[in-house]
Amino acid sequence: MPQKFFSAFVLKYSKKKSKMKILLLDKNHPLIEKQLSAKGFTFEEDFTSTYDEVLEKISNFDAVIIRSRIPLDENFLRHAKHLKFIARVGAGMENINVKVAEELGITLINSPEGNRDAVAEQVLGMLLLLMNRLIISSEEVKKGIWKREENRGEEILGKTFGIIGYGNMGKAVAKRLQGFGAKIIFHDILPNLQDEFASQVSLEELQQSADFISLHLPINESTHYIINEDFISKMKNNFYLINTARGKNVETSALVKALKSGKIKGAALDVLEFEKASFENIEVKNDNLEFLLNSEKVIITPHIAGWTVESKEKLAQVIVDKILLKYS
């Protein structure tokens, strides 16, 4: 069922009136308050209080809707005596202590369906900019510099595109690649995910075949620094790296070393190892970061993959629909 018809269905047939009080800790699309208020939910907005200030009042609420501003760690969750659910407007849940939430019977809701299309479009956009030196050559021409041979690009056609993590985002990328003439493969820890868009392979096979690697992973113990010196050394081909997942999926020192050697031909990074947990800025500066910021082989954006006008509304609508299905 298409999203807009599904949303209309949920709103029409969810009859019960809720008396839940929800704390909004981040600014989101106004449709969240509008649609949930119509079903009896009440709200308090708090976009400025510190962690400790929120902690003092969290026991007064039945639910929290967040993005990334405040970590919902074990201490927070154990103070939240009446919390029934946490809804994150986005995909990743690393700012929430999932294990403790599950132990306490708190339902966790997220909305990766809402920005998968925006992420996929940015992956392709960044890659095409990088491979064809479009930013570099454009800036040169604006300065009166006309270089053709130096700005010769590469094509995706005929190459192998490897995706690590085949959930909402990974699959959306594979779908967008249809028509580019590439072989599309992916690796995922879950079995039997192969579909009409991509073939599932082992990590070793991906390393033997891929000319591109695009990461679409959460951050946890097994994915922290999944791209490190050992991983890179096992790649048969020199390759392009695209990361729109989490900064700590990539060990920056290993990335820089591989960029200098040419093993990594270029990197399109929407996320950095040195970001704040809230994704609001960079909290660490060092020589490796300086290299990335000044390298012609690297494109960096400020954690905006998935950050479109359309995705802002879709993310919010998915959250509303999931809340109403369970609590209305």
Side-chain angles (χ1 to χ4, degrees):
M1 185 183 295
Q3 181 65 45
K4 64 179 180 179
F5 296 113
F6 175 70
S7 302
F9 175 85
V10 171
L11 286 171
K12 182 176 181 180
Y13 291 103
S14 54
K15 298 294 186 181
K16 296 178 182 178
K17 293 288 184 179
S18 173
K19 294 183 179 179
M20 283 191 184
K21 187 175 182 181
I22 300 177
L23 177 62
L24 299 176
L25 289 175
D26 299 90
K27 292 181 180 180
N28 284 295
H29 197 286
L31 72 80
I32 292 178
E33 281 193 72
K34 181 179 180 181
Q35 294 185 15
L36 291 180
S37 294
K39 295 300 175 182
F41 294 82
T42 59
F43 292 89
E44 180 177 317
E45 296 180 351
D46 188 343
F47 307 144
T48 58
S49 290
T50 65
Y51 173 93
D52 289 334
E53 290 168 340
V54 175
L55 199 66
E56 290 180 4
K57 64 180 180 180
I58 190 57
S59 61
N60 299 322
F61 294 89
D62 302 297
V64 176
I65 297 179
I66 63 165
R67 289 195 66 88
S68 305
R69 189 173 69 86
I70 288 181
L72 275 55
D73 56 16
E74 179 173 3
N75 181 51
F76 185 100
L77 296 175
R78 294 199 185 280
H79 274 78
K81 302 296 184 182
H82 305 293
L83 213 59
K84 296 179 177 63
F85 73 84
I86 298 165
R88 178 165 190 266
V89 184
M93 305 290 271
E94 66 269 20
N95 265 18
I96 303 167
N97 190 318
V98 173
K99 183 177 179 180
V100 172
E102 291 174 346
E103 173 196 327
L104 297 174
I106 300 170
T107 298
L108 300 178
I109 299 168
N110 65 345
S111 54
E113 305 91 340
N115 65 348
R116 59 190 173 192
D117 298 316
V119 169
E121 289 189 13
Q122 175 145 337
V123 167
L124 268 294
M126 292 178 79
L127 184 59
L128 292 171
L129 287 172
L130 184 64
M131 293 175 65
N132 293 285
R133 297 175 59 86
L134 297 181
I135 295 175
I136 296 167
S137 59
S138 176
E139 289 301 313
E140 287 176 348
V141 171
K142 289 178 181 179
K143 295 174 182 177
I145 301 168
W146 192 273
K147 295 180 179 179
R148 297 184 67 219
E149 185 57 38
E150 294 88 341
N151 287 309
R152 189 182 290 274
E154 289 188 69
E155 298 176 10
I156 297 174
L157 179 69
K159 297 183 176 67
T160 299
F161 196 101
I163 297 169
I164 302 181
Y166 204 64
N168 282 282
M169 312 302 176
K171 182 174 288 190
V173 170
K175 290 172 69 175
R176 293 308 185 287
L177 283 164
Q178 305 304 304
F180 277 85
K183 178 182 179 182
I184 308 165
I185 59 176
F186 71 89
H187 174 70
D188 196 286
I189 59 172
L190 298 177
N192 305 317
L193 298 180
Q194 182 163 319
D195 56 23
E196 68 270 32
F197 307 116
S199 300
Q200 188 162 5
V201 299
S202 67
L203 189 60
E204 292 73 20
E205 186 175 345
L206 184 142
Q207 290 172 310
Q208 285 296 304
S209 304
D211 301 295
F212 309 92
I213 289 182
S214 187
L215 301 180
H216 301 282
L217 299 163
I219 189 68
N220 54 44
E221 289 183 7
S222 64
T223 64
H224 187 271
Y225 286 171
I226 189 171
I227 305 297
N228 55 22
E229 283 197 43
D230 180 64
F231 180 100
I232 293 168
S233 70
K234 292 177 181 176
M235 289 291 295
K236 180 179 179 180
N237 303 326
N238 295 347
F239 66 101
Y240 286 95
L241 176 67
I242 309 101
N243 188 12
T244 55
R246 290 293 182 260
K248 289 182 172 61
N249 292 141
V250 176
E251 186 176 19
T252 306
S253 58
L255 168 61
V256 168
K257 183 177 179 180
L259 285 165
K260 289 179 177 179
S261 72
K263 185 65 180 181
I264 293 181
K265 298 161 76 172
L269 308 172
D270 183 55
V271 291
L272 292 167
E273 179 183 352
F274 313 115
E275 287 180 59
K276 289 183 177 180
S278 62
F279 311 139
E280 292 175 345
N281 212 324
I282 296 170
E283 62 180 351
V284 175
K285 293 186 178 180
N286 55 36
D287 290 343
N288 286 327
L289 176 61
E290 285 302 310
F291 176 86
L292 296 180
L293 294 177
N294 291 285
S295 174
E296 289 190 346
K297 294 182 176 182
V298 181
I299 290 177
I300 302 176
T301 52
H303 206 126
I304 57 170
W307 202 259
T308 62
V309 172
E310 293 85 356
S311 71
K312 182 177 182 180
E313 180 173 350
K314 287 191 284 187
L315 283 164
Q317 190 64 64
V318 169
I319 287 294
V320 168
D321 292 346
K322 288 182 177 181
I323 291 172
L324 290 179
L325 278 177
K326 187 169 181 64
Y327 295 103
S328 184

